[in-house]
Amino acid sequence: MTTETPVPVAKRVPTERIHHDDTVVDEYAWLTAKDDPDTIAYLKAENAWTESRTAHLADLRTELFEEIRQRTQETDLSVPARKGAHWYYTRTVEGQQYGVQCRRAVRDGETEPPVSVDGAPLDGEEVLLDGNLLAEGHDFFSLGAFDVSPDGRWLAYSTDFSGDERFTLRVKDLDTGEVLADEIPGTFYGTAWSADASVLFYVTVDDAWRPHRVWRHTVGTPAADDQVVHQEDDERFWVGVELTRSERFVLVDIHSKITSEVRVIPADNPTGEPAVIAERRQGVEYAVEHHGHRFLILHNDGAEDFALAYTSADAPGDWVPLIDHAPGTRLEAVDAFDNHLVVSLRSNGLTGLRVLPVGTSDSYDIDFPEPIYSVGLDANPEYHTNSIRLRYSSLVTPGSVYDFDLVTRALVLRRRSPVRPGPDGREFDPADYEQHRDWALADDGTRIPISLVLRAGTARDGSAPCVIYGYGSYEASMDPWFSVSRLSLLDRGVIFAVAHIRGGGELGRRWYEEGKLLAKKNTFTDFVACARHLVKAGWTARDRLVARGGSAGGLLMGAVANLAPDAFAGIVAQVPFVDALNTILDPSLPLTVTEWEEWGNPLADPEVYAYMKSYTPYENVAPVDYPPILAVTSLNDTRVFYHEPAKWIARLRAVAPQGDYLLKTEMGAGHGGPSGRYDAWKEEAFVNAWTLDRFPR
């Protein structure tokens, strides 16, 4: 005799929220108490319910996991990147969850990166850090800093064993292999070495987990003796630190969502006071890169899509134009090398790279053959070089590493991520798949780009199932990317579509501006327009269309569920930001104050409050027929708290009980989900199995 798993029912504890003369009763606010036994019991009950409701997919999950594993070269080695006297690279080993960080000395006359047969260690390899050894005895492991000092002697590295993105920083002597007594808990991302490697700069967070202090640590001394280099008291701003590629300056980057300030410290004078490049001005963003006698300034001062200028490195002052603003061409970054500058940009919805040889006006763009692709700079630690490393991929082309000769303009393929034969034994062939760019028409007449990939020969008569993916926030662009796990869907006849909706940055800064603050609803209506277009154009049918998004894309999923529940056969919301209004109303929570420039400040502005309340998913659950919903979250997530999807699912089940709602909580992970690659594959297999189960057979 077996006992059937009961449907979880969250208790109701009325809690009042009053703002701007508006009283709201939140019956599930109690779920924010992470240490409450009732909270943990509820999450475990939801996990048990999810497991029981998906038990019939166990064989399919195993099948999908095995397909990912079969297609992945498990023992592998990245293309080594040269820095000084060494080649640096990462290895993975079959059966092991985490990467192994290595280096090998550059040999006399060696100019080409050394290669490995089937991912085997290079002859003469030195293992710097083995993630598998560090992770022993822990359910979760994440590497934060990995920063080798300019002289190649010290390695600064940091580890997180819970998923809360709070790291313990350590220093390893690469000459002896000894880990020094230096141990600094509670650090964040970002480190920088002084020129002589005697000083290490790092970042810590405040009580709201906002990166707000840059510290200076002298190697070999107690952390208690460390000194604050900069403390940012304006809660809208957060800080970062890095060493320029030239190794001449330490940059202290201070920025909010819309305003920047950069301070510099000479790397050969690490105890010096940081000098301001340009005082912060509300709404002006800029980034700094050092190049010889000047600092390069990428900025938006009178330039919506950014322009490039420079100022003196000895006495920063006026900005001298270098690349003028060109509306529609968004300049995203500038990287400086001894004799060349490389500008990362996007135009017409595609990424690109522009090379500016120093001392000439002969700039040029690097060309690529595919109609839809993503390209950007890879690791390029050397300043004195005439070659740069690129990364490239498309929806049908696996991640590729190229070296580009800045003098001859020759593009050399160093490595394309191998895709091993699938379950049918056939070799992967990009020609077996098609990629397309389509356009939907938004409610206000704006054309919204959609990228699609499908197996060649897939019918265009509405019979194909489809997954539509979206994000649409923070000017983050969902540029085309290749996915091994996606092949399992494509080979089963599923079309994968990416909706490049407003709020992202695919079509420049204006594309972002039209999908934030009091224009945020454009993000949601754009996505619905894309979904309905896919049906109208014959790519799929409504009962064969599943939507998927995560984090701010999870907010999108919850919003479109309320806005157009009839448009989807299922919705996958991963670490979803679905209780946005309650979160943004609480300035004590991590990241809330810094987020006000993205969403608005509902505490101070009744118009923002009313606007957010009108779209926040949790606030707008209604007694309608929702499609099946799968929400996936992590208990230790510090970016989108577990309680947001937990409250959302509880309210959905109470208000629209006829629906099929599942909540899966990783009890020992953070925002990115499980940390090991095999665990991550299992998670993806779980989501894909649930997705496939939504489609008619």
Side-chain angles (χ1 to χ4, degrees):
M1 181 177 178
T2 60
T3 302
E4 188 172 321
T5 303
V7 180
V9 177
K11 67 182 180 181
R12 301 186 184 190
V13 181
T15 302
E16 279 194 351
R17 182 190 77 202
I18 304 175
H19 292 282
H20 308 296
D21 297 323
D22 179 52
T23 301
V24 174
V25 176
D26 186 350
E27 296 177 314
Y28 303 107
W30 63 271
L31 281 166
T32 61
K34 182 178 177 180
D35 296 330
D36 187 338
D38 286 352
T39 297
I40 300 302
Y42 173 71
L43 297 177
K44 289 181 176 179
E46 286 285 2
N47 279 350
W49 174 246
T50 296
E51 181 57 37
S52 70
R53 290 286 295 156
T54 59
H56 65 290
L57 299 174
D59 290 344
L60 179 57
R61 290 200 298 263
T62 299
E63 185 179 320
L64 293 171
F65 171 82
E66 285 300 320
E67 289 177 16
I68 299 172
R69 190 187 62 78
Q70 286 174 8
R71 286 186 164 116
T72 302
Q73 184 169 307
E74 297 176 72
T75 297
D76 207 354
L77 186 145
S78 66
V79 181
R82 182 169 180 171
K83 177 67 171 70
H86 293 89
W87 297 101
Y88 290 85
Y89 57 94
T90 302
R91 284 195 295 107
T92 56
V93 179
E94 183 174 356
Q96 295 186 354
Q97 294 266 30
Y98 303 100
V100 182
Q101 312 294 330
C102 308
R103 72 179 181 185
R104 200 213 70 184
V106 176
R107 294 172 179 170
D108 289 343
E110 192 172 47
T111 58
E112 301 286 301
V115 296
S116 168
V117 178
D118 295 328
L122 295 177
D123 179 40
E125 170 182 283
E126 177 186 355
V127 174
L128 306 183
L129 214 60
D130 187 338
N132 302 287
L133 295 179
L134 291 172
E136 284 184 355
H138 301 280
D139 294 330
F140 181 94
F141 165 72
S142 179
L143 186 64
F146 182 87
D147 191 356
V148 178
S149 61
D151 61 3
R153 178 180 178 182
W154 307 113
L155 168 65
Y157 72 96
S158 62
T159 53
D160 166 23
F161 296 113
S162 68
D164 64 1
E165 298 181 274
R166 300 300 171 261
F167 299 88
T168 297
L169 181 63
R170 295 179 174 86
V171 176
K172 182 177 181 180
D173 186 336
L174 297 181
D175 288 345
T176 66
E178 174 193 6
V179 177
L180 305 187
D182 307 52
E183 182 175 300
I184 308 169
T187 64
F188 195 62
Y189 301 101
T191 54
W193 286 100
S194 64
D196 64 359
S198 66
V199 169
L200 177 65
F201 296 87
Y202 64 91
V203 177
T204 61
V205 300
D206 62 12
D207 291 340
W209 293 15
R210 173 183 63 97
H212 79 308
R213 282 180 181 153
V214 175
W215 295 77
R216 180 171 51 236
H217 171 77
T218 300
V219 175
T221 66
D225 295 341
D226 293 353
Q227 299 168 313
V228 175
V229 175
H230 177 78
Q231 176 169 311
E232 182 54 49
D233 293 325
D234 189 329
E235 293 182 315
R236 298 173 301 159
F237 288 79
W238 63 98
V239 301
V241 67
E242 63 177 325
L243 181 66
T244 60
R245 180 180 286 106
S246 66
E247 299 181 345
R248 290 274 308 281
F249 293 93
V250 173
L251 302 181
V252 177
D253 181 34
I254 309 158
H255 54 281
S256 73
K257 297 290 183 184
I258 62 172
T259 305
S260 304
E261 182 177 281
V262 178
R263 303 184 179 201
V264 298
I265 304 170
D268 60 1
N269 182 25
T271 60
E273 284 297 312
V276 178
I277 296 294
E279 297 285 351
R280 67 188 72 172
R281 285 185 288 147
Q282 182 71 9
V284 175
E285 301 169 63
Y286 73 93
V288 172
E289 172 79 324
H290 174 245
H291 185 244
H293 63 87
R294 60 188 179 175
F295 288 122
L296 301 171
I297 313 288
L298 193 75
H299 68 90
N300 71 339
D301 188 10
E304 181 179 55
D305 281 321
F306 286 70
L308 183 63
Y310 67 89
T311 189
S312 169
D314 295 325
D318 293 339
W319 295 356
V320 181
L322 194 59
I323 298 180
D324 291 333
H325 175 238
T329 298
R330 171 71 160 92
L331 306 186
E332 297 196 318
V334 59
D335 285 83
F337 303 91
D338 192 13
N339 296 310
H340 297 81
L341 308 180
V342 181
V343 176
S344 299
L345 54 83
R346 62 176 59 251
S347 181
N348 298 319
L350 290 177
T351 53
L353 295 170
R354 180 169 298 164
V355 179
L356 288 74
V358 174
T360 77
S361 58
D362 184 26
S363 66
Y364 60 90
D365 291 348
I366 304 175
D367 294 326
F368 299 94
E370 294 183 271
I372 306 172
Y373 60 84
S374 177
V375 66
L377 288 185
D378 202 358
N380 286 281
E382 285 282 16
Y383 179 71
H384 302 284
T385 181
N386 285 319
S387 176
I388 56 172
R389 178 72 51 83
L390 317 178
R391 61 183 184 275
Y392 176 94
S393 67
S394 77
L395 292 169
V396 301
T397 303
S400 307
V401 175
Y402 288 90
D403 280 344
F404 181 76
D405 192 305
L406 294 163
V407 178
T408 67
R409 304 189 185 182
L411 191 63
V412 179
L413 177 64
R414 292 300 184 190
R415 185 177 188 273
R416 179 156 287 151
S417 295
V419 180
R420 300 173 68 88
D424 58 3
R426 291 181 56 186
E427 295 287 340
F428 169 77
D429 184 351
D432 291 337
Y433 305 89
E434 303 172 6
Q435 56 181 345
H436 298 271
R437 173 60 60 85
D438 202 349
W439 297 80
L441 198 63
D443 294 349
D444 62 1
T446 302
R447 297 176 73 235
I448 313 298
I450 308 172
S451 297
L452 301 104
V453 61
L454 59 155
R455 191 163 181 89
T458 300
R460 287 280 303 275
D461 58 3
S463 63
C466 179
V467 173
I468 178 171
Y469 183 89
Y471 188 76
S473 290
Y474 304 113
E475 204 179 359
S477 300
M478 296 297 103
D479 295 312
W481 73 98
F482 184 84
S483 167
V484 165
S485 63
R486 188 191 300 145
L487 295 177
S488 295
L489 297 178
L490 303 183
D491 290 349
R492 287 171 171 82
V494 179
I495 297 171
F496 185 83
V498 182
H500 302 291
I501 50 185
R502 283 176 284 184
E506 286 89 340
L507 294 178
R509 173 52 66 93
R510 183 162 298 179
W511 202 248
Y512 169 49
E513 298 285 355
E514 291 181 358
K516 64 180 292 193
L517 298 172
L518 296 177
K520 187 61 199 171
K521 289 182 184 179
N522 284 336
T523 302
F524 316 137
T525 54
D526 284 0
F527 190 83
V528 173
C530 290
R532 298 205 188 280
H533 174 81
L534 293 176
V535 173
K536 184 178 179 180
W539 292 105
T540 189
R542 187 217 64 81
D543 65 343
R544 300 168 188 269
L545 181 61
V546 169
R548 181 173 178 179
S551 196
L555 163 65
L556 169 68
M557 294 299 101
V560 301
N562 291 328
L563 187 63
D566 64 306
F568 307 100
I571 292 177
V572 178
Q574 295 176 277
V575 289
F577 185 41
V578 284
D579 193 19
L581 180 55
N582 276 318
T583 293
I584 299 299
L585 280 167
D586 187 350
S588 70
L589 292 177
L591 307 180
T592 287
V593 176
T594 63
E595 294 284 294
W596 284 344
E597 290 176 336
E598 176 78 17
W599 311 98
N601 181 353
L603 269 178
D605 190 332
E607 183 182 12
V608 170
Y609 176 88
Y611 188 76
M612 289 194 71
K613 187 182 178 186
S614 72
Y615 71 69
T616 301
Y618 180 67
E619 306 277 337
N620 290 282
V621 171
V624 299
D625 290 330
Y626 287 99
I629 293 174
L630 170 63
V632 180
T633 188
S634 297
L635 185 63
N636 295 327
D637 191 345
T638 57
R639 296 174 184 252
V640 179
F641 286 111
Y642 71 90
H643 58 72
E644 297 208 20
K647 291 173 61 180
W648 181 49
I649 292 297
R651 177 167 280 183
L652 280 166
R653 195 169 285 132
V655 174
Q658 70 277 14
D660 182 9
Y661 317 114
L662 300 180
L663 174 65
K664 184 175 187 291
T665 304
E666 292 292 337
M667 303 302 285
H671 193 63
S675 57
R677 58 175 177 160
Y678 293 100
D679 291 340
W681 295 349
K682 289 177 182 177
E683 183 87 350
E684 185 66 11
F686 178 90
V687 171
N688 283 344
W690 184 89
T691 299
L692 289 168
D693 199 41
R694 308 278 67 77
F695 301 134
R697 291 171 176 80

